[in-house]
Amino acid sequence: MAVLIRNATQPVTGTSLTALLPPTTRLLGLGEPTHGVEVFPELRNELFRHLVEHEGYRSIAVESDCLAALVADAYVTDGTGTLDDAMSRGFSHGLGDSPANRELVRWLRAHNERRPPHERVRFYGFDGPVEMTGAASPRPALTALHDYLASHLDLAHSRETLDELLGPDEDWTNPAATTDPTRSVGRTPEAQELRLIADDLGVLLTAHAPHLTTAGSHDDWWRAGLRARAASGLLRYHAGMADTTPTRVGTLMCLRETMMADNLLALVDRESLRGPTLAYAHNRHLQKDRSRWLLPEGWGSLAGRTLEWWSAGSITAARLGDQYAFTATAFGTRGSDVPRPDSLEGLLSTLPDARTVVDPARLASALDREPAPRVPADHTYFPLDPATTDQIDAIIFVRDI
């Protein structure tokens, strides 16, 4: 069986990866199995350079705040600001501290400064403005959207009205609301009115698109749409934080995945005439099958409960079909965390190469039994599910990290 497994693999190169993808791919999801391990974003950088230089990719989207990413994109496309500023203000989740992310932004700037605007590679974040400790205030997105529309249209609501309804930002970002829904302002009468206003402004943005895109730039209109999605998404998320039912955590996960999917679909539409896009995030956000998570200790009364939700990748795949491809990454040994020999990662660890691209279809035909699920020592690592590899277009396996 070892020989048959080896026949399903190749050394990692950009060419060996793209050979497994549908030729219709417009969005390639490249997942990582855990956060904070530099080998995976370093691998992403290597593959993305190939995709840009040989496959016509013209954009990359990462699991980071979609609004903050506008700062990084301005730097890589137009040279606005500095590299340090792009890293400190252009990322969320602490991702600006990653050496691999810094190298990505540096390379993008160097690549773009030699090219005309229509050939420059864009940088996106596709996550909502949310963190594990809470969510941002909707003020920046909502007021920027209002100001953009007010410069072209007569609006029913003034900026002063918005400020009065929003109140102090500290009420929205109160970390206590993360665990105590009664501390959230997401379902106050003011928040409910703000949701209606955000919806109205989003409709106006679409209804007046012919005028707005000729009176200003199409890029300004697109960024206003990004802020409209962020404002509405944040207001829904804050309402979810105020939910007192047992389904609260699952609801918040669904809302975040929906924000991610909406942003991915919007940027694919924007990039449709320029080239495909690489999306980089955790495997769980990009996979095509239903996500499941057994909550570990530390989640109080929820510990031991299994949550299920549809990922951004599965939502996007439902819309794009074979224009969306998903590549999962996995690893074998990390310190004392060694996979069982009969697990999928254990079987792949017998391969001679340190890094391999695996064809899931050929791998399935090479196996004479279904591998045992891996139970990792570290709950931050989500192992491959042998039952769902048929929904993965390619697997990149790193034997040791």
Side-chain angles (χ1 to χ4, degrees):
M1 186 172 66
V3 173
L4 293 176
I5 293 176
R6 189 176 304 176
N7 290 338
T9 70
Q10 297 183 61
V12 172
T13 65
T15 301
S16 62
L17 172 61
T18 55
L20 297 179
L21 307 180
T24 52
T25 300
R26 293 172 60 197
L27 177 66
L28 168 59
L30 175 63
E32 63 177 11
T34 188
H35 290 321
V37 179
E38 285 291 290
V39 66
F40 294 110
E42 288 170 357
L43 176 63
R44 171 207 63 195
N45 291 354
E46 175 187 333
L47 294 172
F48 186 57
R49 285 193 291 270
H50 171 87
L51 294 172
V52 170
E53 294 168 354
H54 301 285
E55 306 292 343
Y57 280 61
R58 290 293 177 267
S59 53
I60 183 170
V62 301
E63 185 187 337
S64 187
D65 180 349
C66 58
L67 298 181
L70 294 173
V71 175
D73 181 61
Y75 174 73
V76 303
T77 55
D78 299 322
T80 303
T82 66
L83 175 58
D84 286 343
D85 190 50
M87 301 310 300
S88 64
R89 298 198 301 121
F91 289 84
S92 62
H93 309 329
L95 296 175
D97 296 329
S98 162
N101 283 339
R102 188 179 185 88
E103 174 56 24
L104 171 66
V105 173
R106 187 208 62 77
W107 180 83
L108 285 170
R109 179 68 205 126
H111 174 89
N112 285 336
E113 64 184 358
R114 303 189 301 270
R115 287 167 173 78
H118 68 279
E119 291 184 3
R120 293 173 188 168
V121 180
R122 291 183 178 133
F123 178 88
Y124 295 96
F126 69 94
D127 202 352
V130 299
E131 296 279 359
M132 287 297 292
T133 55
S137 165
R139 183 189 306 277
L142 191 56
T143 55
L145 171 63
H146 177 276
D147 292 349
Y148 169 79
L149 289 170
S151 66
H152 299 284
L153 306 172
D154 292 328
L155 301 181
H157 304 282
S158 68
R159 176 68 177 275
E160 291 72 24
T161 298
L162 285 185
D163 286 332
E164 182 178 347
L165 290 170
L166 285 162
D169 284 345
E170 293 78 8
D171 290 346
W172 295 96
T173 58
N174 182 0
T178 303
T179 55
D180 183 356
T182 66
R183 304 293 295 275
S184 171
V185 296
R187 297 194 179 186
T188 62
E190 292 81 3
Q192 292 174 9
E193 186 169 352
L194 286 168
R195 290 183 70 180
L196 292 174
I197 292 174
D199 183 67
D200 288 343
L201 295 179
V203 170
L204 288 174
L205 190 66
T206 300
H208 293 272
H211 165 61
L212 295 170
T213 53
T214 54
S217 74
H218 197 281
D219 285 345
D220 285 343
W221 179 82
W222 191 88
R223 283 188 285 268
L226 174 63
R227 292 184 172 99
R229 291 192 303 277
S232 293
L234 276 172
L235 287 164
R236 285 193 297 268
Y237 195 87
H238 279 287
M241 290 183 70
D243 183 6
T244 58
T245 69
T247 60
R248 177 178 184 262
V249 175
T251 296
L252 292 175
M253 288 185 169
C254 289
L255 291 172
R256 184 185 176 199
E257 298 292 341
T258 300
M259 282 191 274
M260 287 182 166
D262 285 345
N263 284 329
L264 286 173
L265 290 166
L267 69 89
V268 167
D269 182 63
R270 186 190 191 195
E271 295 291 336
S272 61
L273 298 180
R274 295 191 343 119
T277 298
L278 176 70
Y280 182 77
H282 198 286
N283 284 335
R284 280 294 189 267
H285 293 307
L286 297 174
Q287 66 188 37
K288 296 180 182 179
D289 54 296
R290 192 167 176 83
S291 296
R292 293 174 177 83
W293 184 25
L294 176 63
L295 293 177
E297 293 183 8
W299 284 82
S301 62
L302 294 177
R305 177 178 296 180
T306 299
L307 299 182
E308 295 189 5
W309 68 95
W310 292 108
S311 69
S314 61
I315 297 169
T316 302
R319 293 279 297 276
L320 294 182
D322 61 6
Q323 294 178 331
Y324 176 66
F326 171 51
T327 296
T329 57
F331 65 80
T333 297
R334 176 167 59 173
S336 61
D337 188 1
V338 180
R340 287 173 44 180
D342 60 346
S343 68
L344 188 54
E345 287 92 339
L347 293 169
L348 293 174
S349 293
T350 64
L351 297 169
D353 295 311
R355 307 185 313 171
T356 53
V357 174
V358 183
D359 181 340
R362 296 187 67 180
L363 176 64
S365 64
L367 299 176
D368 56 9
R369 62 186 182 279
E370 183 172 303
R374 180 179 186 176
V375 181
D378 185 346
H379 73 269
T380 65
Y381 172 60
F382 289 77
L384 293 172
D385 182 354
T388 62
T389 55
D390 61 329
Q391 298 188 57
I392 302 174
D393 295 279
I395 298 169
I396 296 179
F397 182 73
V398 179
R399 190 175 57 202
D400 301 284
I401 63 171

